[in-house]
Amino acid sequence: MIRNKAIVFLFFILLFLLPKMRYSQSDLNFEPVDSVIEGHQTDRYSWCKDQLELLKKRYRGFPKTGQVVYAKSAEFMASRRFDAQAEAEMNEAIRMCKGEQCYPEKGIVNMINAEYYFKHDKIVMALEIILQNNLELEKWSPSSKVLSDSYLQTAKYYNNLDFYEKAKDYLKKTIQHSGKIKYNVNLSKVYNQLGRILRRQKKSQEALKYFKKSIKNDDLHKKFSLHAATYSNIAAVFIDLKNYDSAYFYLKKAKKYAAKGYVLNTDLLGLKATINKRMALVFIRKNATDSALYYRKLELKELKSVQFLEKKDLVDKTTQQAKIKFQGEAIRLLRDKNQLEKELFQSERIIVFVILLLIALILYGYYRKNILRQEQAALQLEQKVLRSQMNPHFIFNALVAIQNSMMDNNILESASHVAKFAKLIRQNFDFTQKEYVTLEEDLDALQNYISVQKMRFQQKFDCFIAYGDVEIESILIPPLLLQPFVENAIESGFKGINKFGILKIEIFTVSKKKIGFRITDNGVGFKVVKDDKLHSTEIFKARLSLHNTNDLNSFTIVSRPDFEGTKIEFKYTVKKCIK
């Protein structure tokens, strides 16, 4: 009798606990929701919204799982272009669970948040979030599957920023980590990423090899969700190779799988539009205008852009009419002006000549008077710059870091640090003897300086330098022109922040005679210091003014409006070296 009562008692306990067990994270399945978010089931938006609302109510008391539900809700809102609601849901997901106990689920939230910024063309911000996510997962959940997925997402962002080697490194990390924890990561996605990188590097044959490995891997596991995108990528390579028949063959395969809805984590309509766009390009190259037009119309249909284009045509037409009217008015005013100038020219030319002569004489006098002052100011400034080029505190801290490395018996690492530091000292002494150095030499010294600083701060920040088509080997600049801003970002900007520091230096062409510099970081932001000391920013502005007064007018330094950190911009009049 007692035994029967015990069994009944246990039965009621199980009935009481079952609802709670039903809400555990392991039972969560977001595949139907993801299918709606990715555009595969456009008729189930209301169902998806209701489902997410139901899940939010169920998991309100379970923050570790609830944060993922709110992040998915944010992803859904973003896919429907409800950005304000998406940001509100994401803020709630981030607020809901904090601390190491929130991982690895917190990693999923951060990945969704990063992807939101990526899709809104804020790629650097997305990269900052995903790099910080990697660090936190490595610390709090190093054996989780989420870390492999986060590495793969990082590779995607580096690829988009054209940092191909960094992207390859993270793809290798994905493979290594997933193998270590025996996680069946989607190797086809990894192969696809490698193929896209190699295609952008113009390595067509290697790209084809990895795309075909992706197809083979999916066929082996009978998973066809990536076939449409992969076949489209193969066709793109053949278009690059001008092999239009092969491109057409693979685009037909891509259309076949896209029509069946075999698409993974991809905008289905966007993929179909891309396939049709490439079909149109193939027929254009083959001079088949009618077929090209047909596929162009299909592309527009997939993008639902017919109304947009009609509005665009109307705007373009109105703009053209306004331009024609403006040009007619400008021509009339120009004729009137020319007639007036012709009438006044005869009587005014002598007066103008005299005025110009007087101005020239006055300017010449000022020039002769100020030339000595400028030379003296330049000399004084040069001495101040040379004294500030190598901060004694930096030298001391770098030597302490090297000493610590030696005490830890890291002989090879210590030797490498000593070599870098010795090179930096030598470069600094060499620069003190020169008025100008090439931009290439200055960037080399700057990268060496950054390497030493990364050693000091234990790799807690990274720096990216991009100069595109700028001829750095022939452009001359004053020595260590950018170093003060880099030093400020590292020593002050990153001081006290609890995230991974990112410093980006962009050099770009403005015109034939000017280049531009943009330096951004995600530190604490720019703050004005009021005292009687001559700071590095004022020294830099004086150097820029001595080089070209107009360049000084382009200089700005502000806290970034889009994110935390500082943004510095200025233009520089090119001075070419004579070879």
Side-chain angles (χ1 to χ4, degrees):
M1 185 71 179
I2 295 172
R3 184 178 178 183
N4 290 338
K5 287 183 177 180
I7 292 171
V8 172
F9 180 68
L10 286 171
F11 175 73
F12 279 108
I13 289 176
L14 285 172
L15 283 177
F16 177 75
L17 291 176
L18 274 174
K20 296 184 182 294
M21 291 168 64
R22 182 180 58 193
Y23 299 157
S24 66
Q25 186 205 347
S26 61
D27 292 334
L28 275 177
N29 180 10
F30 285 112
E31 285 186 9
V33 173
D34 288 336
S35 182
V36 176
I37 290 172
E38 291 153 14
H40 303 167
Q41 302 181 57
T42 54
D43 57 337
R44 302 193 71 190
Y45 288 128
S46 296
W47 170 87
C48 185
K49 183 179 179 182
D50 294 341
Q51 187 71 10
L52 287 167
E53 288 298 323
L54 178 63
L55 288 172
K56 283 194 289 185
K57 289 179 182 178
R58 284 182 180 178
Y59 290 99
R60 190 173 297 277
F62 301 88
K64 188 174 182 179
T65 306
Q67 62 179 336
V68 181
V69 176
Y70 272 90
K72 277 292 175 185
S73 178
E75 189 178 14
F76 170 71
M77 291 298 179
S79 72
R80 302 286 292 144
R81 303 293 190 272
F82 300 142
D83 289 337
Q85 295 94 319
E87 289 178 11
E89 295 287 87
M90 181 53 69
N91 288 336
E92 180 62 21
I94 294 169
R95 183 203 64 78
M96 184 174 286
C97 192
K98 295 180 180 180
E100 62 181 284
Q101 72 278 4
C102 300
Y103 288 88
E105 286 81 355
K106 191 72 168 182
I108 300 172
V109 175
N110 292 332
M111 288 169 63
I112 294 172
N113 192 23
E115 191 65 11
Y116 172 81
Y117 285 111
F118 177 78
K119 289 180 178 178
H120 284 71
D121 295 325
K122 297 181 179 180
I123 304 171
V124 173
M125 195 180 298
L127 183 62
E128 291 176 7
I129 294 170
I130 205 69
L131 286 173
Q132 185 68 24
N133 192 46
N134 292 340
L135 290 175
E136 290 169 353
L137 284 168
E138 287 166 358
K139 183 177 180 181
W140 302 121
S141 191
S143 299
S144 68
K145 299 175 182 179
V146 181
L147 182 55
S148 289
D149 295 330
S150 187
Y151 283 152
L152 186 58
Q153 193 164 321
T154 308
K156 171 184 171 182
Y157 297 161
Y158 273 123
N159 183 20
N160 197 278
L161 286 168
D162 297 338
F163 292 119
Y164 302 125
E165 296 308 317
K166 286 274 190 182
K168 287 181 184 176
D169 289 343
Y170 274 94
L171 288 173
K172 291 175 183 176
K173 277 189 174 184
T174 303
I175 296 171
Q176 290 169 357
H177 184 264
S178 59
K180 182 180 177 181
I181 64 171
K182 297 181 180 180
Y183 170 41
N184 187 22
V185 71
N186 195 333
L187 281 175
S188 298
K189 288 181 72 176
V190 177
Y191 293 146
N192 242 297
Q193 285 263 33
L194 283 167
R196 290 173 60 202
I197 291 168
L198 291 165
R199 182 194 166 215
R200 295 179 77 177
Q201 289 181 312
K202 310 298 183 186
K203 298 178 180 178
S204 301
Q205 295 303 326
E206 291 184 59
L208 284 173
K209 182 181 76 172
Y210 279 103
F211 286 139
K212 289 178 179 179
K213 283 181 74 173
S214 175
I215 294 290
K216 186 177 179 180
N217 185 71
D218 274 345
D219 286 341
L220 181 66
H221 295 90
K222 300 186 184 305
K223 294 181 178 180
F224 310 108
S225 56
L226 208 59
H227 270 28
T230 307
Y231 280 128
S232 179
N233 288 332
I234 292 173
V237 176
F238 280 116
I239 290 172
D240 296 339
L241 295 171
K242 300 182 180 179
N243 187 342
Y244 303 119
D245 290 335
S246 295
Y248 177 67
F249 172 77
Y250 283 105
L251 283 170
K252 284 198 299 181
K253 283 179 170 287
K255 283 181 71 68
K256 169 187 169 184
Y257 284 100
K260 292 180 179 180
Y262 290 150
V263 178
L264 175 69
N265 296 333
T266 305
D267 178 5
L268 179 60
L269 295 177
L271 177 59
K272 287 182 177 180
T274 300
I275 294 169
N276 287 320
K277 180 180 180 180
R278 287 172 176 166
M279 274 286 199
L281 181 59
V282 167
F283 284 111
I284 287 171
R285 299 288 167 80
K286 296 178 75 171
N287 296 318
T289 310
D290 291 341
S291 296
L293 183 60
Y294 169 75
Y295 283 106
R296 176 63 175 161
K297 287 179 179 178
L298 285 181
E299 178 199 354
L300 296 178
K301 181 181 177 181
E302 298 294 352
L303 293 173
K304 298 181 181 179
S305 299
V306 175
Q307 293 181 350
F308 168 76
L309 289 175
E310 288 175 351
K311 290 179 181 178
K312 184 177 183 296
D313 290 340
L314 180 61
V315 172
D316 289 345
K317 185 176 180 181
T318 306
T319 304
Q320 290 296 327
Q321 291 173 347
K323 283 184 178 179
I324 292 169
K325 184 177 179 181
F326 174 79
Q327 288 171 351
E329 186 69 17
I331 290 170
R332 186 184 66 78
L333 291 172
L334 186 60
R335 285 175 179 169
D336 293 344
K337 182 181 178 182
N338 288 340
Q339 182 63 29
L340 180 62
E341 288 177 349
K342 187 176 180 180
E343 293 172 357
L344 294 174
F345 178 75
Q346 294 298 327
S347 59
E348 292 183 349
R349 60 183 180 178
I350 296 176
I351 298 172
V352 170
F353 174 78
V354 171
I355 292 172
L356 290 174
L357 181 61
L358 288 172
I359 292 173
L361 289 171
I362 293 169
L363 289 175
Y364 179 75
Y366 272 107
Y367 172 78
R368 292 294 299 171
K369 184 177 180 179
N370 291 330
I371 192 70
L372 291 174
R373 291 181 183 174
Q374 290 181 3
E375 288 178 353
Q376 185 179 6
L379 208 59
Q380 292 173 349
L381 180 62
E382 182 182 8
Q383 295 303 318
K384 289 176 181 177
V385 169
L386 293 177
R387 285 196 297 270
S388 66
Q389 280 175 352
M390 187 60 73
N391 191 314
H393 295 292
F394 164 74
I395 295 174
F396 175 79
N397 291 332
L399 289 173
V400 169
I402 293 170
Q403 182 186 41
N404 291 337
S405 177
M406 289 178 174
M407 292 176 69
D408 292 336
N409 291 322
N410 295 328
I411 305 301
L412 293 177
E413 184 181 355
S414 301
S416 174
H417 294 334
V418 169
K420 290 177 182 178
F421 186 67
K423 182 181 177 183
L424 181 62
I425 296 293
R426 187 181 70 248
Q427 286 174 323
N428 189 71
F429 287 154
D430 288 344
F431 283 0
T432 60
Q433 308 300 320
K434 298 177 181 179
E435 185 178 357
Y436 289 95
V437 295
T438 64
L439 182 52
E440 184 179 35
E441 291 173 327
D442 198 73
L443 288 178
D444 180 61
L446 186 63
Q447 287 174 326
N448 197 35
Y449 171 78
I450 291 167
S451 296
V452 175
Q453 288 283 41
K454 286 171 72 175
M455 176 269 294
R456 279 186 57 209
F457 290 97
Q458 300 177 344
Q459 309 296 324
K460 291 184 178 178
F461 73 91
D462 205 352
C463 178
F464 306 104
I465 300 177
Y467 48 81
D469 59 351
V470 177
E471 298 175 356
I472 61 172
E473 66 278 358
S474 61
I475 294 175
L476 294 176
I477 64 170
L480 302 177
L481 186 67
L482 306 177
Q483 190 267 348
F485 298 122
V486 174
E487 182 178 352
N488 283 342
I490 296 169
E491 299 286 353
S492 302
F494 296 152
K495 186 176 181 180
I497 64 172
N498 57 356
K499 58 184 176 181
F500 190 79
I502 291 183
L503 176 64
K504 188 172 183 181
I505 300 171
E506 299 170 88
I507 307 170
F508 50 90
T509 302
V510 177
S511 65
K512 288 183 178 180
K513 295 184 178 181
K514 280 187 182 293
I515 59 174
F517 292 84
R518 184 182 298 115
I519 307 167
T520 55
D521 64 63
N522 64 338
V524 297
F526 174 68
K527 296 179 182 178
V528 179
V529 179
K530 295 181 179 181
D531 55 31
D532 296 329
K533 297 179 180 179
L534 185 62
H535 294 280
S536 58
T537 303
E538 298 303 317
I539 294 175
F540 170 83
K541 289 166 71 174
R543 295 178 80 189
L544 199 62
S545 177
L546 286 171
H547 176 73
N548 189 302
T549 307
N550 291 329
D551 291 350
L552 178 61
N553 297 332
S554 68
F555 176 80
T556 59
I557 175 169
V558 294
S559 289
R560 287 166 60 182
D562 59 334
F563 204 61
E564 294 179 346
T566 303
K567 180 170 72 172
I568 299 162
E569 289 184 325
F570 65 94
K571 297 182 179 69
Y572 181 82
T573 303
V574 171
K575 180 181 177 69
K576 295 273 187 173
C577 66
I578 301 173
K579 295 185 178 179

